[in-house]
Amino acid sequence: MNHVWSDAGFTKMLKIHRAHSSLCVDGFDEAIQLNRGRALVQAGRHPSMSDRRLTISIDQGVARICLIRPDAANTIDLVFAKEFEAAAKACVVGRARVVLVTALGRQFCGGGDLKSFADQADLGAHLEVVTQHFHDGIVTFVEMDAPVVVAVQGAVAGAGLGLVCAADIVVAGKSATFVMAYTRLGLTPDGSSSWFLSRHVGLRRALDLTLTNRVLSADEALAWGVITRLV
């Protein structure tokens, strides 16, 4: 995942992002299955229910999104990105008043799914599609009126950190760690991290985290302003 987010680029993204979606909450499962099926077919696989990457429910104005791929550290592949975009739009159409994002397993999100990326014949084209869907989900979160609350545990890396930085409130457990991880792989930041991170921690610290891949502990993340509360 190697999309560069500049201030101008992200502002443009916000302006041109589709304001509304025809997706209804009652039809979310159908939309998810369609998106997942298309993504798996593109990857040369047949879809099954076990391939689902997240769940969503909206009850009395509270939307709950849970990442359910713990065996792969909840990493982001094409299926994940499409489901994430659809879930974010469902929150808007479903008139959620607050959105809570959690994850199963020991790790919140390990960033991009490098294993799935390595299997692609045209990696650049594949990453462009993955990032577009994931970024559309992030932009939907940013534009919606409802606050987005993210609860994290364990490793938060790459685009997972971008999701955290885009949230309004971040609650973290003591086990949480935070790392950009991009330069270790020869990639540039994406997932909105290069837009939001410096606004939370300042330019110097953002550069430090981006260029050195320094791992922040939960206590450091609280002191630096990456998270809101430590529990």
Side-chain angles (χ1 to χ4, degrees):
M1 303 176 76
N2 58 353
H3 187 83
V4 180
W5 283 78
S6 65
D7 287 6
F10 190 75
T11 301
K12 181 179 179 182
M13 186 73 171
L14 288 174
K15 290 180 178 178
I16 68 174
H17 180 68
R18 295 182 298 272
H20 301 285
S21 171
S22 60
L23 176 68
C24 64
V25 176
D26 291 340
F28 177 76
D29 282 342
E30 181 180 353
I32 284 294
Q33 291 171 17
L34 179 60
N35 282 336
R36 182 173 65 249
R38 287 174 176 170
L40 290 172
V41 168
Q42 290 174 14
R45 297 173 53 197
H46 295 289
S48 68
M49 286 305 296
S50 63
D51 287 309
R52 188 157 184 169
R53 303 299 193 251
L54 58 84
T55 62
I56 178 175
S57 65
I58 302 178
D59 182 33
Q60 297 183 354
V62 179
R64 293 178 172 86
I65 297 173
C66 184
L67 314 185
I68 58 169
R69 201 188 181 201
D71 56 330
N74 294 308
T75 49
I76 301 165
D77 61 1
L78 181 57
V79 178
F80 182 114
K82 288 188 173 184
E83 291 190 11
F84 176 73
E85 178 189 12
K89 291 177 179 178
C91 292
V92 175
V93 177
R95 298 183 179 180
R97 296 194 299 273
V98 64
V99 179
L100 173 62
V101 182
T102 60
L104 294 182
R106 298 175 60 185
Q107 302 183 53
F108 175 74
C109 179
D113 184 350
L114 302 182
K115 183 178 180 180
S116 72
F117 296 164
D119 294 334
Q120 304 304 315
D122 189 341
L123 179 58
H126 180 75
L127 291 179
E128 184 175 357
V129 175
V130 174
T131 53
Q132 184 63 59
H133 286 290
F134 186 71
H135 290 164
D136 279 353
I138 292 290
V139 171
T140 300
F141 274 167
V142 172
E143 288 187 323
M144 70 173 57
D145 294 329
V148 177
V149 181
V150 175
V152 304
Q153 75 284 343
V156 182
L161 181 54
L163 171 56
V164 165
C165 288
D168 298 294
I169 297 175
V170 181
V171 180
K174 282 281 188 179
S175 66
T177 59
F178 304 83
V179 62
M180 286 289 276
Y182 290 97
T183 56
R184 183 171 57 201
L185 303 170
L187 300 174
T188 54
D190 59 8
S192 80
S193 55
S194 59
W195 169 266
F196 284 112
L197 186 60
S198 63
R199 285 160 173 76
H200 291 308
V201 306
L203 181 59
R204 294 295 185 188
R205 284 176 168 176
L207 284 172
D208 181 18
L209 293 175
T210 301
L211 298 178
T212 69
N213 291 310
R214 172 177 175 174
V215 178
L216 285 186
S217 67
D219 288 316
E220 289 174 317
L222 179 64
W224 282 28
V226 175
I227 65 175
T228 309
R229 187 174 303 174
L230 188 59
V231 295

